Amino acid sequence: MKFSVFQVSRKGGREKNEDRMGYCYTRESGLFVLADGMGGHPEGEVAAQLALQTISALYQKEARPLVRDTTEFLSSALMAAHHQVIRYASEKGMLDTPRTTVVAVILQGTGATWVHCGDSRLYVVRDGELLTRTRDHSYLEQQNAGVIKLERLNRNILFTCLGSPSKPVFDIAGPVVLQQGDKLMLCSDGLWGSLTDAEIVRHMAANGVSEAVPEMVEHALRNGGQHGDNVTVLAMEWETPDAFESTHGVSTDSIMDGVFASTIQAGVLDTGVEDLDDAAIERSIAEINEAIRRSAAKKV
């Protein structure tokens, strides 16, 4: 497996950067993940880090060196990350839960399969054109897709995320068979909120990811101005074996079975990726909801 990869996260006009990203890979499989901790709730950066660490830990447990069922894995890993955030909030006795978006993609064989929850996006660019991108879990995107009709304001509000007391809604797509030069990009809303899809595709098509991503991020930061959002991007360009000799990408061919390479920091938080039973999860959610109800009652 061969690919070029570039990642960058830049602080915009926000007080802190709650975005997290990273990737890990084996000889025959790769996982790329990006999460954007949500403002308006406490410790968004913790939720984002928990999502990355949980999904990465489960991936490293499963990919030996392949993930047997990428769709099933992404579904269960996302829910495990959600449960870890809920458990963290319950153990801390928090009145509100940390929350985060997430988008993750697995490259395996010649295909890419991805999952997303919220408004962190994945773009696929082929031959200078947008092949596909994820659709945000926001009321605005649902309206634009013709799923619902809205008359009210604030249509860009998300209706799902990880860490919410309600079960997250997520979408899985793929596998999409990759071709030489295909570019995949995971990004936070700080990027696509300041650039149009056409601008993003134009940047991605013009150069390799190591040149295109920094230019695109700088453009987004300038457009966002002093009150702009943080901008985080993780992008890769797929290589085929016959074309790889002229590139400077990553080759996994030399990696021994059972060995992982990773840019995802581990050990900062005790993720405890063991499975939680449904009863424990429901107790945690009920405790949080009851604490919120009591707090609201005291203010009346």
PDB file of all heavy atoms in Angstrom, residues 7 20-24 30-36 48-57 59 73-74 81 101-106 115 120 162 186-187 232-234 263-264:
ATOM      1  N   GLN A   7      -0.722  16.461   7.058  1.00  0.00           N
ATOM      2  CA  GLN A   7      -1.708  16.891   8.041  1.00  0.00           C
ATOM      3  C   GLN A   7      -1.264  18.199   8.682  1.00  0.00           C
ATOM      4  O   GLN A   7      -0.066  18.425   8.891  1.00  0.00           O
ATOM      5  CB  GLN A   7      -1.917  15.813   9.113  1.00  0.00           C
ATOM      6  CG  GLN A   7      -0.673  15.461   9.923  1.00  0.00           C
ATOM      7  CD  GLN A   7      -0.959  14.399  10.969  1.00  0.00           C
ATOM      8  OE1 GLN A   7      -1.882  13.591  10.835  1.00  0.00           O
ATOM      9  NE2 GLN A   7      -0.187  14.406  12.043  1.00  0.00           N
ATOM     10  N   ARG A  20      -8.719  17.536  16.660  1.00  0.00           N
ATOM     11  CA  ARG A  20      -7.706  16.488  16.778  1.00  0.00           C
ATOM     12  C   ARG A  20      -7.711  15.647  15.508  1.00  0.00           C
ATOM     13  O   ARG A  20      -8.748  15.466  14.876  1.00  0.00           O
ATOM     14  CB  ARG A  20      -7.978  15.585  17.996  1.00  0.00           C
ATOM     15  CG  ARG A  20      -7.921  16.312  19.340  1.00  0.00           C
ATOM     16  CD  ARG A  20      -6.528  16.792  19.674  1.00  0.00           C
ATOM     17  NE  ARG A  20      -6.449  17.375  20.997  1.00  0.00           N
ATOM     18  CZ  ARG A  20      -6.636  18.674  21.265  1.00  0.00           C
ATOM     19  NH1 ARG A  20      -6.944  19.513  20.285  1.00  0.00           N
ATOM     20  NH2 ARG A  20      -6.517  19.113  22.499  1.00  0.00           N
ATOM     21  N   MET A  21      -6.542  15.116  15.134  1.00  0.00           N
ATOM     22  CA  MET A  21      -6.451  14.293  13.922  1.00  0.00           C
ATOM     23  C   MET A  21      -5.267  13.358  14.041  1.00  0.00           C
ATOM     24  O   MET A  21      -4.379  13.547  14.881  1.00  0.00           O
ATOM     25  CB  MET A  21      -6.282  15.176  12.694  1.00  0.00           C
ATOM     26  CG  MET A  21      -4.967  15.928  12.749  1.00  0.00           C
ATOM     27  SD  MET A  21      -4.634  16.923  11.325  1.00  0.00           S
ATOM     28  CE  MET A  21      -3.188  17.819  11.939  1.00  0.00           C
ATOM     29  N   GLY A  22      -5.235  12.350  13.192  1.00  0.00           N
ATOM     30  CA  GLY A  22      -4.090  11.457  13.146  1.00  0.00           C
ATOM     31  C   GLY A  22      -4.371  10.248  12.280  1.00  0.00           C
ATOM     32  O   GLY A  22      -5.498  10.059  11.805  1.00  0.00           O
ATOM     33  N   TYR A  23      -3.355   9.437  12.065  1.00  0.00           N
ATOM     34  CA  TYR A  23      -3.530   8.229  11.263  1.00  0.00           C
ATOM     35  C   TYR A  23      -2.584   7.150  11.748  1.00  0.00           C
ATOM     36  O   TYR A  23      -1.579   7.406  12.419  1.00  0.00           O
ATOM     37  CB  TYR A  23      -3.299   8.505   9.777  1.00  0.00           C
ATOM     38  CG  TYR A  23      -1.917   9.004   9.418  1.00  0.00           C
ATOM     39  CD1 TYR A  23      -0.909   8.125   9.036  1.00  0.00           C
ATOM     40  CD2 TYR A  23      -1.629  10.363   9.448  1.00  0.00           C
ATOM     41  CE1 TYR A  23       0.353   8.575   8.690  1.00  0.00           C
ATOM     42  CE2 TYR A  23      -0.370  10.838   9.112  1.00  0.00           C
ATOM     43  CZ  TYR A  23       0.617   9.944   8.729  1.00  0.00           C
ATOM     44  OH  TYR A  23       1.868  10.391   8.396  1.00  0.00           O
ATOM     45  N   CYS A  24      -2.924   5.912  11.456  1.00  0.00           N
ATOM     46  CA  CYS A  24      -2.054   4.779  11.745  1.00  0.00           C
ATOM     47  C   CYS A  24      -2.257   3.742  10.654  1.00  0.00           C
ATOM     48  O   CYS A  24      -3.282   3.742   9.967  1.00  0.00           O
ATOM     49  CB  CYS A  24      -2.322   4.194  13.132  1.00  0.00           C
ATOM     50  SG  CYS A  24      -4.039   3.791  13.494  1.00  0.00           S
ATOM     51  N   GLY A  30      -4.841   1.089   6.422  1.00  0.00           N
ATOM     52  CA  GLY A  30      -4.579   2.391   7.024  1.00  0.00           C
ATOM     53  C   GLY A  30      -5.855   3.014   7.556  1.00  0.00           C
ATOM     54  O   GLY A  30      -6.932   2.863   6.969  1.00  0.00           O
ATOM     55  N   LEU A  31      -5.736   3.705   8.690  1.00  0.00           N
ATOM     56  CA  LEU A  31      -6.857   4.405   9.319  1.00  0.00           C
ATOM     57  C   LEU A  31      -6.505   5.880   9.447  1.00  0.00           C
ATOM     58  O   LEU A  31      -5.439   6.227   9.966  1.00  0.00           O
ATOM     59  CB  LEU A  31      -7.146   3.824  10.704  1.00  0.00           C
ATOM     60  CG  LEU A  31      -8.121   4.626  11.578  1.00  0.00           C
ATOM     61  CD1 LEU A  31      -9.556   4.443  11.082  1.00  0.00           C
ATOM     62  CD2 LEU A  31      -8.005   4.212  13.044  1.00  0.00           C
ATOM     63  N   PHE A  32      -7.415   6.754   8.995  1.00  0.00           N
ATOM     64  CA  PHE A  32      -7.243   8.196   9.102  1.00  0.00           C
ATOM     65  C   PHE A  32      -8.467   8.749   9.843  1.00  0.00           C
ATOM     66  O   PHE A  32      -9.606   8.443   9.464  1.00  0.00           O
ATOM     67  CB  PHE A  32      -7.137   8.828   7.717  1.00  0.00           C
ATOM     68  CG  PHE A  32      -5.981   8.307   6.899  1.00  0.00           C
ATOM     69  CD1 PHE A  32      -6.036   7.033   6.326  1.00  0.00           C
ATOM     70  CD2 PHE A  32      -4.839   9.070   6.703  1.00  0.00           C
ATOM     71  CE1 PHE A  32      -4.969   6.547   5.575  1.00  0.00           C
ATOM     72  CE2 PHE A  32      -3.777   8.592   5.958  1.00  0.00           C
ATOM     73  CZ  PHE A  32      -3.839   7.321   5.390  1.00  0.00           C
ATOM     74  N   VAL A  33      -8.239   9.573  10.868  1.00  0.00           N
ATOM     75  CA  VAL A  33      -9.335  10.048  11.721  1.00  0.00           C
ATOM     76  C   VAL A  33      -9.168  11.531  12.006  1.00  0.00           C
ATOM     77  O   VAL A  33      -8.051  12.015  12.246  1.00  0.00           O
ATOM     78  CB  VAL A  33      -9.390   9.296  13.064  1.00  0.00           C
ATOM     79  CG1 VAL A  33     -10.674   9.630  13.808  1.00  0.00           C
ATOM     80  CG2 VAL A  33      -9.246   7.800  12.881  1.00  0.00           C
ATOM     81  N   LEU A  34     -10.283  12.257  12.021  1.00  0.00           N
ATOM     82  CA  LEU A  34     -10.297  13.665  12.399  1.00  0.00           C
ATOM     83  C   LEU A  34     -11.543  13.924  13.234  1.00  0.00           C
ATOM     84  O   LEU A  34     -12.633  13.441  12.915  1.00  0.00           O
ATOM     85  CB  LEU A  34     -10.298  14.558  11.153  1.00  0.00           C
ATOM     86  CG  LEU A  34     -10.235  16.063  11.366  1.00  0.00           C
ATOM     87  CD1 LEU A  34      -9.441  16.737  10.236  1.00  0.00           C
ATOM     88  CD2 LEU A  34     -11.632  16.695  11.434  1.00  0.00           C
ATOM     89  N   ALA A  35     -11.375  14.671  14.325  1.00  0.00           N
ATOM     90  CA  ALA A  35     -12.489  15.004  15.216  1.00  0.00           C
ATOM     91  C   ALA A  35     -12.417  16.483  15.581  1.00  0.00           C
ATOM     92  O   ALA A  35     -11.329  17.043  15.743  1.00  0.00           O
ATOM     93  CB  ALA A  35     -12.443  14.143  16.481  1.00  0.00           C
ATOM     94  N   ASP A  36     -13.565  17.093  15.721  1.00  0.00           N
ATOM     95  CA  ASP A  36     -13.669  18.526  16.047  1.00  0.00           C
ATOM     96  C   ASP A  36     -14.522  18.667  17.302  1.00  0.00           C
ATOM     97  O   ASP A  36     -15.742  18.518  17.259  1.00  0.00           O
ATOM     98  CB  ASP A  36     -14.302  19.270  14.867  1.00  0.00           C
ATOM     99  CG  ASP A  36     -14.430  20.770  15.084  1.00  0.00           C
ATOM    100  OD1 ASP A  36     -14.102  21.246  16.200  1.00  0.00           O
ATOM    101  OD2 ASP A  36     -14.856  21.471  14.157  1.00  0.00           O
ATOM    102  N   ALA A  48     -12.783  14.981  21.546  1.00  0.00           N
ATOM    103  CA  ALA A  48     -12.107  14.717  20.279  1.00  0.00           C
ATOM    104  C   ALA A  48     -10.944  13.747  20.467  1.00  0.00           C
ATOM    105  O   ALA A  48     -10.750  12.818  19.678  1.00  0.00           O
ATOM    106  CB  ALA A  48     -11.615  16.027  19.667  1.00  0.00           C
ATOM    107  N   GLN A  49     -10.166  13.947  21.537  1.00  0.00           N
ATOM    108  CA  GLN A  49      -9.033  13.061  21.797  1.00  0.00           C
ATOM    109  C   GLN A  49      -9.501  11.657  22.153  1.00  0.00           C
ATOM    110  O   GLN A  49      -8.909  10.665  21.719  1.00  0.00           O
ATOM    111  CB  GLN A  49      -8.168  13.633  22.920  1.00  0.00           C
ATOM    112  CG  GLN A  49      -6.889  12.856  23.187  1.00  0.00           C
ATOM    113  CD  GLN A  49      -5.900  12.928  22.038  1.00  0.00           C
ATOM    114  OE1 GLN A  49      -5.907  13.877  21.263  1.00  0.00           O
ATOM    115  NE2 GLN A  49      -5.062  11.917  21.910  1.00  0.00           N
ATOM    116  N   LEU A  50     -10.562  11.559  22.937  1.00  0.00           N
ATOM    117  CA  LEU A  50     -11.119  10.250  23.258  1.00  0.00           C
ATOM    118  C   LEU A  50     -11.572   9.525  21.998  1.00  0.00           C
ATOM    119  O   LEU A  50     -11.375   8.311  21.867  1.00  0.00           O
ATOM    120  CB  LEU A  50     -12.287  10.399  24.230  1.00  0.00           C
ATOM    121  CG  LEU A  50     -11.956  10.490  25.714  1.00  0.00           C
ATOM    122  CD1 LEU A  50     -13.202  10.884  26.510  1.00  0.00           C
ATOM    123  CD2 LEU A  50     -11.377   9.185  26.232  1.00  0.00           C
ATOM    124  N   ALA A  51     -12.197  10.247  21.084  1.00  0.00           N
ATOM    125  CA  ALA A  51     -12.655   9.627  19.832  1.00  0.00           C
ATOM    126  C   ALA A  51     -11.477   9.065  19.060  1.00  0.00           C
ATOM    127  O   ALA A  51     -11.506   7.911  18.595  1.00  0.00           O
ATOM    128  CB  ALA A  51     -13.418  10.647  18.992  1.00  0.00           C
ATOM    129  N   LEU A  52     -10.407   9.868  18.912  1.00  0.00           N
ATOM    130  CA  LEU A  52      -9.237   9.395  18.178  1.00  0.00           C
ATOM    131  C   LEU A  52      -8.603   8.186  18.856  1.00  0.00           C
ATOM    132  O   LEU A  52      -8.308   7.179  18.206  1.00  0.00           O
ATOM    133  CB  LEU A  52      -8.205  10.527  18.075  1.00  0.00           C
ATOM    134  CG  LEU A  52      -8.097  11.194  16.694  1.00  0.00           C
ATOM    135  CD1 LEU A  52      -9.376  11.972  16.395  1.00  0.00           C
ATOM    136  CD2 LEU A  52      -6.895  12.116  16.617  1.00  0.00           C
ATOM    137  N   GLN A  53      -8.390   8.278  20.160  1.00  0.00           N
ATOM    138  CA  GLN A  53      -7.696   7.204  20.860  1.00  0.00           C
ATOM    139  C   GLN A  53      -8.503   5.915  20.873  1.00  0.00           C
ATOM    140  O   GLN A  53      -7.944   4.825  20.731  1.00  0.00           O
ATOM    141  CB  GLN A  53      -7.366   7.637  22.284  1.00  0.00           C
ATOM    142  CG  GLN A  53      -6.278   8.685  22.356  1.00  0.00           C
ATOM    143  CD  GLN A  53      -5.913   9.074  23.769  1.00  0.00           C
ATOM    144  OE1 GLN A  53      -5.332  10.113  23.984  1.00  0.00           O
ATOM    145  NE2 GLN A  53      -6.252   8.255  24.742  1.00  0.00           N
ATOM    146  N   THR A  54      -9.815   6.031  21.050  1.00  0.00           N
ATOM    147  CA  THR A  54     -10.652   4.836  21.097  1.00  0.00           C
ATOM    148  C   THR A  54     -10.682   4.134  19.745  1.00  0.00           C
ATOM    149  O   THR A  54     -10.478   2.913  19.648  1.00  0.00           O
ATOM    150  CB  THR A  54     -12.079   5.189  21.532  1.00  0.00           C
ATOM    151  OG1 THR A  54     -12.046   5.843  22.806  1.00  0.00           O
ATOM    152  CG2 THR A  54     -12.950   3.954  21.616  1.00  0.00           C
ATOM    153  N   ILE A  55     -10.929   4.899  18.689  1.00  0.00           N
ATOM    154  CA  ILE A  55     -10.997   4.306  17.351  1.00  0.00           C
ATOM    155  C   ILE A  55      -9.643   3.724  16.956  1.00  0.00           C
ATOM    156  O   ILE A  55      -9.558   2.624  16.399  1.00  0.00           O
ATOM    157  CB  ILE A  55     -11.475   5.355  16.325  1.00  0.00           C
ATOM    158  CG1 ILE A  55     -12.921   5.768  16.638  1.00  0.00           C
ATOM    159  CG2 ILE A  55     -11.374   4.814  14.904  1.00  0.00           C
ATOM    160  CD1 ILE A  55     -13.424   6.945  15.823  1.00  0.00           C
ATOM    161  N   SER A  56      -8.566   4.453  17.272  1.00  0.00           N
ATOM    162  CA  SER A  56      -7.222   3.972  16.947  1.00  0.00           C
ATOM    163  C   SER A  56      -6.881   2.706  17.719  1.00  0.00           C
ATOM    164  O   SER A  56      -6.310   1.749  17.157  1.00  0.00           O
ATOM    165  CB  SER A  56      -6.193   5.060  17.258  1.00  0.00           C
ATOM    166  OG  SER A  56      -4.875   4.576  17.105  1.00  0.00           O
ATOM    167  N   ALA A  57      -7.206   2.671  19.010  1.00  0.00           N
ATOM    168  CA  ALA A  57      -6.897   1.488  19.818  1.00  0.00           C
ATOM    169  C   ALA A  57      -7.642   0.258  19.314  1.00  0.00           C
ATOM    170  O   ALA A  57      -7.079  -0.844  19.243  1.00  0.00           O
ATOM    171  CB  ALA A  57      -7.239   1.761  21.279  1.00  0.00           C
ATOM    172  N   TYR A  59      -8.727  -0.158  16.262  1.00  0.00           N
ATOM    173  CA  TYR A  59      -8.157  -0.493  14.959  1.00  0.00           C
ATOM    174  C   TYR A  59      -6.882  -1.324  15.122  1.00  0.00           C
ATOM    175  O   TYR A  59      -6.679  -2.343  14.445  1.00  0.00           O
ATOM    176  CB  TYR A  59      -7.856   0.788  14.188  1.00  0.00           C
ATOM    177  CG  TYR A  59      -7.092   0.571  12.905  1.00  0.00           C
ATOM    178  CD1 TYR A  59      -7.736   0.141  11.748  1.00  0.00           C
ATOM    179  CD2 TYR A  59      -5.714   0.788  12.850  1.00  0.00           C
ATOM    180  CE1 TYR A  59      -7.035  -0.065  10.572  1.00  0.00           C
ATOM    181  CE2 TYR A  59      -5.009   0.589  11.689  1.00  0.00           C
ATOM    182  CZ  TYR A  59      -5.668   0.157  10.555  1.00  0.00           C
ATOM    183  OH  TYR A  59      -4.963  -0.044   9.391  1.00  0.00           O
ATOM    184  N   PHE A  73     -16.585  -2.612  11.445  1.00  0.00           N
ATOM    185  CA  PHE A  73     -15.606  -2.030  12.359  1.00  0.00           C
ATOM    186  C   PHE A  73     -15.870  -0.545  12.582  1.00  0.00           C
ATOM    187  O   PHE A  73     -15.861  -0.067  13.730  1.00  0.00           O
ATOM    188  CB  PHE A  73     -14.185  -2.206  11.823  1.00  0.00           C
ATOM    189  CG  PHE A  73     -13.180  -1.423  12.625  1.00  0.00           C
ATOM    190  CD1 PHE A  73     -12.686  -1.924  13.827  1.00  0.00           C
ATOM    191  CD2 PHE A  73     -12.759  -0.161  12.207  1.00  0.00           C
ATOM    192  CE1 PHE A  73     -11.799  -1.189  14.587  1.00  0.00           C
ATOM    193  CE2 PHE A  73     -11.864   0.578  12.967  1.00  0.00           C
ATOM    194  CZ  PHE A  73     -11.384   0.064  14.159  1.00  0.00           C
ATOM    195  N   LEU A  74     -16.071   0.214  11.508  1.00  0.00           N
ATOM    196  CA  LEU A  74     -16.270   1.658  11.655  1.00  0.00           C
ATOM    197  C   LEU A  74     -17.521   1.966  12.463  1.00  0.00           C
ATOM    198  O   LEU A  74     -17.536   2.892  13.280  1.00  0.00           O
ATOM    199  CB  LEU A  74     -16.344   2.319  10.274  1.00  0.00           C
ATOM    200  CG  LEU A  74     -15.024   2.380   9.509  1.00  0.00           C
ATOM    201  CD1 LEU A  74     -15.261   2.848   8.080  1.00  0.00           C
ATOM    202  CD2 LEU A  74     -14.020   3.297  10.208  1.00  0.00           C
ATOM    203  N   ALA A  81     -16.449   4.925  20.736  1.00  0.00           N
ATOM    204  CA  ALA A  81     -15.939   6.261  21.053  1.00  0.00           C
ATOM    205  C   ALA A  81     -17.007   7.098  21.739  1.00  0.00           C
ATOM    206  O   ALA A  81     -16.739   7.813  22.715  1.00  0.00           O
ATOM    207  CB  ALA A  81     -15.453   6.941  19.775  1.00  0.00           C
ATOM    208  N   THR A 101     -17.526  16.035  16.776  1.00  0.00           N
ATOM    209  CA  THR A 101     -17.804  15.409  15.485  1.00  0.00           C
ATOM    210  C   THR A 101     -16.682  14.404  15.221  1.00  0.00           C
ATOM    211  O   THR A 101     -15.658  14.410  15.902  1.00  0.00           O
ATOM    212  CB  THR A 101     -17.817  16.445  14.355  1.00  0.00           C
ATOM    213  OG1 THR A 101     -16.481  16.956  14.174  1.00  0.00           O
ATOM    214  CG2 THR A 101     -18.755  17.601  14.676  1.00  0.00           C
ATOM    215  N   VAL A 102     -16.849  13.573  14.223  1.00  0.00           N
ATOM    216  CA  VAL A 102     -15.770  12.670  13.821  1.00  0.00           C
ATOM    217  C   VAL A 102     -15.967  12.238  12.382  1.00  0.00           C
ATOM    218  O   VAL A 102     -17.106  12.094  11.914  1.00  0.00           O
ATOM    219  CB  VAL A 102     -15.679  11.436  14.757  1.00  0.00           C
ATOM    220  CG1 VAL A 102     -16.878  10.510  14.554  1.00  0.00           C
ATOM    221  CG2 VAL A 102     -14.384  10.670  14.551  1.00  0.00           C
ATOM    222  N   VAL A 103     -14.854  12.077  11.679  1.00  0.00           N
ATOM    223  CA  VAL A 103     -14.857  11.450  10.359  1.00  0.00           C
ATOM    224  C   VAL A 103     -13.643  10.549  10.308  1.00  0.00           C
ATOM    225  O   VAL A 103     -12.556  10.931  10.746  1.00  0.00           O
ATOM    226  CB  VAL A 103     -14.847  12.496   9.216  1.00  0.00           C
ATOM    227  CG1 VAL A 103     -13.665  13.448   9.320  1.00  0.00           C
ATOM    228  CG2 VAL A 103     -14.866  11.811   7.858  1.00  0.00           C
ATOM    229  N   ALA A 104     -13.831   9.318   9.822  1.00  0.00           N
ATOM    230  CA  ALA A 104     -12.742   8.336   9.784  1.00  0.00           C
ATOM    231  C   ALA A 104     -12.844   7.529   8.501  1.00  0.00           C
ATOM    232  O   ALA A 104     -13.950   7.206   8.046  1.00  0.00           O
ATOM    233  CB  ALA A 104     -12.821   7.406  10.995  1.00  0.00           C
ATOM    234  N   VAL A 105     -11.692   7.194   7.935  1.00  0.00           N
ATOM    235  CA  VAL A 105     -11.658   6.402   6.710  1.00  0.00           C
ATOM    236  C   VAL A 105     -10.628   5.302   6.861  1.00  0.00           C
ATOM    237  O   VAL A 105      -9.567   5.495   7.450  1.00  0.00           O
ATOM    238  CB  VAL A 105     -11.339   7.285   5.473  1.00  0.00           C
ATOM    239  CG1 VAL A 105     -10.015   8.005   5.631  1.00  0.00           C
ATOM    240  CG2 VAL A 105     -11.338   6.450   4.189  1.00  0.00           C
ATOM    241  N   ILE A 106     -10.968   4.126   6.342  1.00  0.00           N
ATOM    242  CA  ILE A 106     -10.036   3.006   6.283  1.00  0.00           C
ATOM    243  C   ILE A 106      -9.681   2.745   4.824  1.00  0.00           C
ATOM    244  O   ILE A 106     -10.570   2.613   3.970  1.00  0.00           O
ATOM    245  CB  ILE A 106     -10.628   1.734   6.915  1.00  0.00           C
ATOM    246  CG1 ILE A 106     -10.713   1.891   8.431  1.00  0.00           C
ATOM    247  CG2 ILE A 106      -9.784   0.509   6.564  1.00  0.00           C
ATOM    248  CD1 ILE A 106     -11.297   0.689   9.147  1.00  0.00           C
ATOM    249  N   VAL A 115     -16.733   6.639   7.620  1.00  0.00           N
ATOM    250  CA  VAL A 115     -17.870   6.925   8.483  1.00  0.00           C
ATOM    251  C   VAL A 115     -17.760   8.372   8.927  1.00  0.00           C
ATOM    252  O   VAL A 115     -16.654   8.899   9.067  1.00  0.00           O
ATOM    253  CB  VAL A 115     -17.906   5.977   9.709  1.00  0.00           C
ATOM    254  CG1 VAL A 115     -16.698   6.209  10.606  1.00  0.00           C
ATOM    255  CG2 VAL A 115     -19.194   6.138  10.500  1.00  0.00           C
ATOM    256  N   SER A 120     -17.754  17.380  10.314  1.00  0.00           N
ATOM    257  CA  SER A 120     -16.405  17.201   9.785  1.00  0.00           C
ATOM    258  C   SER A 120     -16.530  16.357   8.519  1.00  0.00           C
ATOM    259  O   SER A 120     -17.238  15.361   8.509  1.00  0.00           O
ATOM    260  CB  SER A 120     -15.499  16.513  10.808  1.00  0.00           C
ATOM    261  OG  SER A 120     -15.247  17.377  11.903  1.00  0.00           O
ATOM    262  N   LEU A 162     -20.954  12.869  18.662  1.00  0.00           N
ATOM    263  CA  LEU A 162     -20.550  11.931  19.706  1.00  0.00           C
ATOM    264  C   LEU A 162     -20.583  12.645  21.052  1.00  0.00           C
ATOM    265  O   LEU A 162     -20.198  13.805  21.152  1.00  0.00           O
ATOM    266  CB  LEU A 162     -19.137  11.406  19.456  1.00  0.00           C
ATOM    267  CG  LEU A 162     -18.847  10.663  18.155  1.00  0.00           C
ATOM    268  CD1 LEU A 162     -17.489   9.991  18.231  1.00  0.00           C
ATOM    269  CD2 LEU A 162     -19.931   9.673  17.813  1.00  0.00           C
ATOM    270  N   LEU A 186      -9.778  14.755   4.834  1.00  0.00           N
ATOM    271  CA  LEU A 186     -10.633  14.908   6.007  1.00  0.00           C
ATOM    272  C   LEU A 186     -10.405  16.316   6.530  1.00  0.00           C
ATOM    273  O   LEU A 186      -9.254  16.767   6.615  1.00  0.00           O
ATOM    274  CB  LEU A 186     -10.277  13.888   7.088  1.00  0.00           C
ATOM    275  CG  LEU A 186     -10.580  12.404   6.841  1.00  0.00           C
ATOM    276  CD1 LEU A 186      -9.647  11.826   5.778  1.00  0.00           C
ATOM    277  CD2 LEU A 186     -10.451  11.607   8.129  1.00  0.00           C
ATOM    278  N   CYS A 187     -11.470  17.029   6.902  1.00  0.00           N
ATOM    279  CA  CYS A 187     -11.285  18.399   7.362  1.00  0.00           C
ATOM    280  C   CYS A 187     -12.373  18.798   8.353  1.00  0.00           C
ATOM    281  O   CYS A 187     -13.479  18.251   8.357  1.00  0.00           O
ATOM    282  CB  CYS A 187     -11.272  19.381   6.195  1.00  0.00           C
ATOM    283  SG  CYS A 187     -12.837  19.531   5.302  1.00  0.00           S
ATOM    284  N   THR A 232      -8.362  22.432  10.456  1.00  0.00           N
ATOM    285  CA  THR A 232      -7.617  21.175  10.570  1.00  0.00           C
ATOM    286  C   THR A 232      -7.871  20.317   9.339  1.00  0.00           C
ATOM    287  O   THR A 232      -9.028  20.136   8.940  1.00  0.00           O
ATOM    288  CB  THR A 232      -8.021  20.415  11.848  1.00  0.00           C
ATOM    289  OG1 THR A 232      -7.754  21.247  12.978  1.00  0.00           O
ATOM    290  CG2 THR A 232      -7.251  19.115  11.977  1.00  0.00           C
ATOM    291  N   VAL A 233      -6.795  19.802   8.754  1.00  0.00           N
ATOM    292  CA  VAL A 233      -6.890  19.022   7.519  1.00  0.00           C
ATOM    293  C   VAL A 233      -5.937  17.831   7.593  1.00  0.00           C
ATOM    294  O   VAL A 233      -4.796  17.957   8.031  1.00  0.00           O
ATOM    295  CB  VAL A 233      -6.541  19.881   6.287  1.00  0.00           C
ATOM    296  CG1 VAL A 233      -6.597  19.034   5.015  1.00  0.00           C
ATOM    297  CG2 VAL A 233      -7.466  21.075   6.164  1.00  0.00           C
ATOM    298  N   LEU A 234      -6.430  16.693   7.155  1.00  0.00           N
ATOM    299  CA  LEU A 234      -5.628  15.480   6.994  1.00  0.00           C
ATOM    300  C   LEU A 234      -5.926  14.949   5.599  1.00  0.00           C
ATOM    301  O   LEU A 234      -7.066  14.584   5.304  1.00  0.00           O
ATOM    302  CB  LEU A 234      -5.995  14.449   8.067  1.00  0.00           C
ATOM    303  CG  LEU A 234      -5.410  13.042   7.957  1.00  0.00           C
ATOM    304  CD1 LEU A 234      -3.888  13.089   7.893  1.00  0.00           C
ATOM    305  CD2 LEU A 234      -5.872  12.180   9.123  1.00  0.00           C
ATOM    306  N   THR A 263       0.468   8.311  14.129  1.00  0.00           N
ATOM    307  CA  THR A 263       0.669   9.692  14.573  1.00  0.00           C
ATOM    308  C   THR A 263      -0.346  10.065  15.647  1.00  0.00           C
ATOM    309  O   THR A 263      -0.381  11.217  16.077  1.00  0.00           O
ATOM    310  CB  THR A 263       0.520  10.687  13.397  1.00  0.00           C
ATOM    311  OG1 THR A 263      -0.845  10.695  12.938  1.00  0.00           O
ATOM    312  CG2 THR A 263       1.437  10.322  12.247  1.00  0.00           C
ATOM    313  N   ILE A 264      -1.154   9.101  16.076  1.00  0.00           N
ATOM    314  CA  ILE A 264      -2.171   9.366  17.095  1.00  0.00           C
ATOM    315  C   ILE A 264      -1.563   9.147  18.471  1.00  0.00           C
ATOM    316  O   ILE A 264      -1.117   8.052  18.789  1.00  0.00           O
ATOM    317  CB  ILE A 264      -3.405   8.470  16.906  1.00  0.00           C
ATOM    318  CG1 ILE A 264      -4.059   8.770  15.546  1.00  0.00           C
ATOM    319  CG2 ILE A 264      -4.410   8.680  18.036  1.00  0.00           C
ATOM    320  CD1 ILE A 264      -5.231   7.880  15.203  1.00  0.00           C
TER     321      ILE A 264
END
